[in-house]
Amino acid sequence: GAREFAYAGHKGGSGPGALAAAWLLEDKKGRWTCLAAAWNDGAGDPAPGEFYGLLDGVLAALASAD
């Protein structure tokens, strides 16, 4: 997750039927990456746990990238 980075700035937001999140990340080698994601569901509110669970996997993959 985000704890694997030297720096991780995060901004998240939500509205009816939508979730969004963005990170500015610096890895331990000094390289910068931006990750942004949004989930829109016209049928109802998306599940925050599922949304952030998926993104935690993406953050872990980015942290382990060489």
Side-chain angles (χ1 to χ4, degrees), residues 3-63:
R3 286 177 244 123
E4 302 299 320
F5 291 89
Y7 175 83
H10 172 260
K11 173 64 177 139
S14 64
L19 291 171
W23 286 264
L24 177 61
L25 306 162
E26 181 185 15
D27 70 14
K28 294 177 182 174
K29 293 182 179 180
R31 298 175 298 193
W32 291 89
T33 302
C34 179
L35 170 63
W39 186 351
N40 296 300
D41 185 348
D45 291 332
E50 187 175 355
F51 179 69
Y52 281 102
L54 291 169
L55 291 174
D56 194 48
V58 174
L59 288 167
L62 286 171

